[in-house]
Amino acid sequence: MTKYGSFPGARPRRLRTTPAMRRMVAETRLHPADLILPAFVREGISEPVAIGSMPGVFQHTRDTLKKAAVEAVEAGVSGIMLFGVPEESKKDAAGTVGTEPDGILQLALRDVRSEVGDDLIVMSDLCLDEFTDHGHCGVLDAEGRVDNDATLERYAEMAQVQADAGAHVVGPSGMMDGQVGVVRDALDQSGHEDVSILAYTVKYSSAFFGPFREAVGSSLKGDRKTYQQDPANTRESLRELALDLEEGADMVMVKPAGPYLDILARVADAVDVPVAAYQISGEYAMIEAAAERGWIDRDKAIMESLTGIKRAGANMILTYWATEVARQL
């Protein structure tokens, strides 16, 4: 006997039948313009240096960095975030080389701007950790603690020299209280009103940062738990968000991305400014390592991880796969 209207009446699988159908009804789409490439430039090398814990990622020379920037433009990537790696002998307690006009990061900013102009948004990490001999993100007091307000003075100077060197965007990443307001004032007072601030608003003290410390030649002993956020907390992130917006952040960031998609979604729902998420070194390394062992499909895992970050609310994603993925898209 024929039955009409039999269970189930609703069949969502109809919208999953073919690749064309799934593509047509997809709710989240990645685009090359969503992507920002983090890149490392190292002083005193003549050839790129492979980063062992991040297969496929290198510490660039100034020349190869320019090439990477051009490739990013050609792939349709929106931005590049630069990190400087100075010679070890130039590090000191105040991170002096980080604010010298001819420091490696400032030279790299000038190189990239000269090479690509405004075709790529040139961003600069605004932090002292790469440049200090103790590896912390600020200057230390007599007790060996990070001095918040003394560090802000260094960040103000750093913002000015990075903007002078050509940064379109500065990214204060040290998690000092008041850093966005101080950087905004420093930029405005030095005639750089058009330079934007991408605030590292939510930056957790994460185990997933491990490979990054190799990438920047970190001198850190200990940890950063007194200034980066506790992974257990959510409300703290929303408080940081409110403060950064009040101080003048143009864009805000959640870092890491994958382990904190819930936080990313909360931030994205709360603001009317662009939201970035940083798929950090440990996230990258885990996928690369598992794929190398044949445990996962590398390309599918990369795309799935990025789609999840976009779906959670990121307008922009910093990822070491930016140029590769942009080409595929």
Side-chain angles (χ1 to χ4, degrees), residues 244-261:
D244 282 356
L245 293 174
E246 182 180 347
E247 291 173 23
D250 299 288
M251 301 168 277
V252 297
M253 185 193 294
V254 175
K255 181 180 183 181
Y260 298 94
L261 295 181

Side-chain angles (χ1 to χ4, degrees), residues 188-243:
D188 291 351
Q189 291 172 18
S190 59
H192 294 296
E193 296 89 349
D194 290 340
V195 173
S196 301
I197 297 176
L198 170 56
Y200 283 60
T201 293
V202 181
K203 186 177 182 182
Y204 284 98
S205 180
S206 172
F208 293 95
F209 285 126
F212 178 88
R213 293 181 183 169
E214 177 188 354
V216 297
S218 175
S219 302
L220 180 67
K221 302 294 189 294
D223 59 51
R224 300 184 173 123
K225 292 182 179 180
T226 63
Y227 45 101
Q228 294 178 354
Q229 291 169 237
D230 185 339
N233 293 350
T234 297
R235 288 193 300 270
E236 182 180 29
S237 297
L238 299 179
R239 185 183 185 199
E240 292 277 6
L241 175 64
L243 290 168

Side-chain angles (χ1 to χ4, degrees), residues 129-145:
D129 59 320
E130 298 101 309
F131 308 108
T132 55
D133 55 12
H134 48 72
H136 278 288
C137 296
V139 296
L140 306 182
D141 64 17
E143 312 262 328
R145 302 169 300 190

Side-chain angles (χ1 to χ4, degrees), residues 276-308:
Y278 197 145
Q279 185 181 52
I280 67 168
S281 59
E283 299 175 69
Y284 175 94
M286 286 193 303
I287 290 178
E288 290 287 354
E292 183 182 359
R293 288 160 176 76
W295 294 341
I296 60 173
D297 183 307
R298 176 183 180 276
D299 292 348
K300 290 180 180 178
I302 290 170
M303 287 298 188
E304 185 175 336
S305 68
L306 292 170
T307 300

Side-chain angles (χ1 to χ4, degrees), residues 99-159:
T99 51
E100 291 177 351
D102 60 351
I104 183 60
L105 183 51
Q106 283 69 255
L107 293 175
L109 287 166
R110 291 187 177 90
D111 289 342
V112 174
R113 278 302 301 272
S114 176
E115 191 74 17
V116 300
D118 293 333
D119 292 339
L120 192 67
I121 301 302
V122 180
M123 303 179 171
S124 186
D125 179 60
L126 199 164
C127 195
L128 290 172
D129 59 320
E130 298 101 309
F131 308 108
T132 55
D133 55 12
H134 48 72
H136 278 288
C137 296
V139 296
L140 306 182
D141 64 17
E143 312 262 328
R145 302 169 300 190
V146 175
D147 186 324
N148 190 95
D149 294 1
T151 298
L152 294 182
E153 294 180 17
R154 298 288 293 123
Y155 285 3
E157 185 179 354
M158 183 172 270

